[in-house]
Amino acid sequence: MFAFTGAGCKSVAGPDYKSPDAPQKADWVGGTELADIAAAKKAIEPNWWHGFSDPYLNQLIDRAIDGDFNLKILALRLEQAGLGIEDAENLRKPTVNFQAGGSFQKQSGQASTESYTQSTGLNWELDIWGKAKKAVNAKEAEYKASEADWRAAYLTLVSSVATRYFEILQFDEQIRNQAATLEHNEKLLRIYTAQLREGLVPESRLLSQRAEINTLQRDRLELERQRREAEFTLATLIGVPAGSVKVPGGRLTDKVKILDIPAGLPSELLKRRPDILSKEYRVLAAHNLLGEARLAQLPKISLTASAGSASNMLSSLLKTWTFGLAPSISIPIFDPSIKTNIKSKTVDMKVAEEEYRSTVVKAYEEVETALLNVSYRKQQKEELRKQIANLRVVRNVQYAQLEEGLVSQLEVFETDRSLLGAQQSLLTTHQQILADMVNLYKALGGGWPAEVVSQE
């Protein structure tokens, strides 16, 4: 019997836990130049968003961490998972109950009778095979998975707040660009109005200029609408009603510093990303539940003990005692539900393993995409700067020629539209670079410490 409880029992429970096989990468491909730079940088700091050097952003993120409802819900689920461990531990302990009672009878013509009883009982299923311990291990793994879920939600929240804040500052600068272009076109309108009085231009030119101003005004209103909508979303992320947050105006290119590329190799990703750790801990939980199901094939040994006394008088109740001990063994000879449960838990573990592999592959994609986007968008930003410089020279020449009648209104329109479009694209690209930096830090684990999933 003892030989069976050792190596033989372990064989029934199945092999020790081993991390699932997953696709491997040796290095990053996207944005090769940046990936090379990353190797020389220090690892991600826990409060990595401080690197943007924007105190107001830091305040927003602090408020969001304190107020976000999703984080609070996940914290409560983590508490529930902790209670699940306690509940599973209780199943390994004996239960003791106490009962006491009395009865009184009186019949006509007879003396009254009374009796008193008290008893104590103990029930204990001995976990000699480790089946209950497997259940505890599964709950502990689920707790770790819930903890990783909270970290993943924390990282998503921080990233969302930062990205939305950058969008608001982008809209601020785009609104200013729109206002500056409007001012130029209103100046043109005054020129055409004066020329119309002198009969130098037809009225259609004046009407065309007013229509252009209408278009610019409409686009400005749309930018203002988008900014307010972004503030509503930001308020929800912080956990306050929409309209409660008013972000002060600012210049994206002046206020926010672009972060350095963080260090991080593909092999480190599996130990740092909360979502990957969450999936692997659920593989571990499934592994333990399968072991528990397999151990259910072994005999179940229980110990029942009772002690009590009975008396016709309360004063003598504790003078006499009876004690009983009843060990029992239950051997599952034929129980089809045990085999079915083993098959079900085997499938559950396979599903958990595939979900883990899928998360790993998706994580590689997110890092590669962020590196690629930062690399190419920095190049696009440089081309936009050159385009804007060239268009400004063209516009200045055209405005000088306009009063002399040497350039057409259509040419001025086209140059102004191209310049404004390039300026707005430059701001959008700058904001996208910042958002890609946020995505990269998030994709690399966001500063959470490395962690190895194992059976303790």
Side-chain angles (χ1 to χ4, degrees):
M1 174 65 73
F2 286 98
F4 186 69
T5 61
C9 177
K10 183 176 180 180
S11 175
V12 173
D16 292 336
Y17 174 77
K18 187 177 74 171
S19 183
D21 295 332
Q24 299 293 320
K25 277 175 65 70
D27 206 347
W28 302 117
V29 178
T32 305
E33 179 185 351
L34 293 179
D36 292 340
I37 295 174
K41 302 292 182 182
K42 63 180 181 179
I44 300 174
E45 297 291 338
N47 294 339
W48 51 268
W49 56 89
H50 287 183
F52 287 116
S53 300
D54 190 323
Y56 187 76
L57 172 62
N58 299 340
Q59 293 175 22
L60 286 175
I61 290 176
D62 289 342
R63 289 179 63 189
I65 292 170
D66 289 339
D68 181 67
F69 294 109
N70 190 41
L71 281 186
K72 292 177 181 178
I73 292 169
L74 288 173
L76 290 172
R77 287 178 179 168
L78 183 60
E79 186 176 341
Q80 286 179 327
L83 293 173
I85 298 174
E86 185 178 334
D87 190 45
E89 286 279 10
N90 290 336
L91 296 177
R92 304 176 66 197
K93 301 173 183 177
T95 59
V96 180
N97 58 73
F98 174 80
Q99 291 182 333
S103 67
F104 307 90
Q105 292 184 349
K106 169 68 177 171
Q107 294 183 359
S108 299
Q110 297 183 5
S112 62
T113 61
E114 56 186 78
S115 63
Y116 302 92
T117 62
Q118 67 94 19
S119 64
T120 302
L122 177 145
N123 292 288
W124 189 11
E125 182 179 338
L126 304 179
D127 189 31
I128 60 175
W129 316 123
K131 183 168 74 76
K133 176 59 176 174
K134 286 288 185 182
V136 173
N137 290 342
K139 291 295 185 181
E140 289 174 342
E142 188 60 39
Y143 177 87
K144 289 286 190 178
S146 298
E147 187 177 47
D149 287 340
W150 186 91
R151 293 180 180 182
Y154 173 98
L155 190 50
T156 297
L157 174 66
V158 169
S159 302
S160 298
V161 170
T163 300
R164 190 60 65 180
Y165 174 65
F166 297 152
E167 287 179 354
I168 292 171
L169 296 185
Q170 170 200 334
F171 290 138
D172 282 340
E173 285 207 67
Q174 288 180 327
I175 290 169
R176 276 190 285 272
N177 285 342
Q178 201 77 18
T181 304
L182 262 169
E183 186 179 344
H184 284 299
N185 277 267
E186 286 169 350
K187 179 181 177 182
L188 285 177
L189 180 62
R190 291 192 293 272
I191 293 172
Y192 288 141
T193 301
Q195 289 178 342
L196 179 62
R197 290 196 204 99
E198 297 175 7
L200 299 176
V201 296
E203 186 178 6
S204 60
R205 181 167 295 189
L206 191 66
L207 295 174
S208 296
Q209 186 61 37
R210 285 174 177 167
E212 184 70 9
I213 289 173
N214 295 146
T215 300
L216 291 169
Q217 288 279 23
R218 181 203 64 196
D219 292 343
R220 180 182 60 80
L221 290 170
E222 175 61 18
L223 288 170
E224 290 176 353
R225 184 197 67 79
Q226 291 178 7
R227 188 193 191 281
R228 293 195 65 188
E229 185 179 18
E231 278 188 332
F232 294 163
T233 304
L234 186 60
T236 301
L237 290 170
I238 291 174
V240 298
S244 302
V245 175
K246 300 294 182 184
V247 178
R251 296 178 64 88
L252 183 68
T253 50
D254 293 341
K255 285 197 68 174
V256 183
K257 172 189 172 185
I258 293 181
L259 295 175
D260 292 328
I261 302 297
L265 296 175
S267 59
E268 297 174 342
L269 196 68
L270 308 186
K271 301 175 184 178
R272 294 186 182 278
R273 274 189 56 139
D275 57 341
I276 293 178
L277 290 170
S278 171
K279 292 298 182 183
E280 188 174 357
Y281 273 118
R282 287 191 164 89
V283 175
L284 177 58
H287 170 84
N288 282 300
L289 290 175
L290 175 57
E292 180 190 16
R294 285 173 171 165
L295 289 171
Q297 300 173 96
L298 300 179
K300 181 171 69 174
I301 299 175
S302 299
L303 182 64
T304 301
S306 62
S309 64
S311 174
N312 292 331
M313 297 179 62
L314 185 61
S315 60
S316 61
L317 178 63
L318 300 179
K319 292 181 179 179
T320 60
W321 283 85
T322 59
F323 178 77
L325 180 66
S328 66
I329 181 169
S330 173
I331 303 175
I333 297 176
F334 178 74
D335 186 349
S337 64
I338 293 178
K339 295 293 184 184
T340 301
N341 191 37
I342 292 173
K343 292 178 182 178
S344 175
K345 298 304 180 185
T346 301
V347 173
D348 287 345
M349 190 172 76
K350 289 180 178 179
V351 169
E353 288 175 342
E354 294 305 321
E355 288 178 342
Y356 166 78
R357 294 184 183 102
S358 174
T359 304
V360 169
V361 171
K362 184 64 178 176
Y364 289 146
E365 178 196 355
E366 290 176 358
V367 176
E368 291 285 14
T369 299
L371 280 170
L372 185 71
N373 287 346
V374 171
S375 178
Y376 277 86
R377 281 176 176 150
K378 281 193 171 184
Q379 296 175 55
Q380 292 170 352
K381 182 179 175 181
E382 187 59 32
E383 294 301 322
L384 283 166
R385 281 176 172 165
K386 294 176 183 177
Q387 181 186 7
I388 290 170
N390 292 331
L391 287 171
R392 279 177 175 158
V393 172
V394 173
R395 188 186 66 175
N396 291 338
V397 172
Q398 287 182 341
Y399 272 52
Q401 294 176 337
L402 185 65
E403 296 186 31
E404 304 296 328
L406 301 176
V407 66
S408 70
Q409 184 184 32
L410 181 59
E411 289 178 287
V412 174
F413 280 170
E414 289 299 325
T415 302
D416 274 350
R417 290 168 185 167
S418 297
L419 177 58
L420 178 61
Q423 290 172 330
Q424 306 297 54
S425 294
L426 178 64
L427 289 169
T428 299
T429 303
H430 186 79
Q431 184 274 326
Q432 288 173 336
I433 291 171
L434 291 170
D436 289 329
M437 293 301 306
V438 169
N439 290 335
L440 180 57
Y441 273 69
K442 175 186 174 185
L444 288 172
W448 289 112
E451 190 171 330
V452 177
V453 177
S454 63
Q455 184 72 72
E456 296 179 0

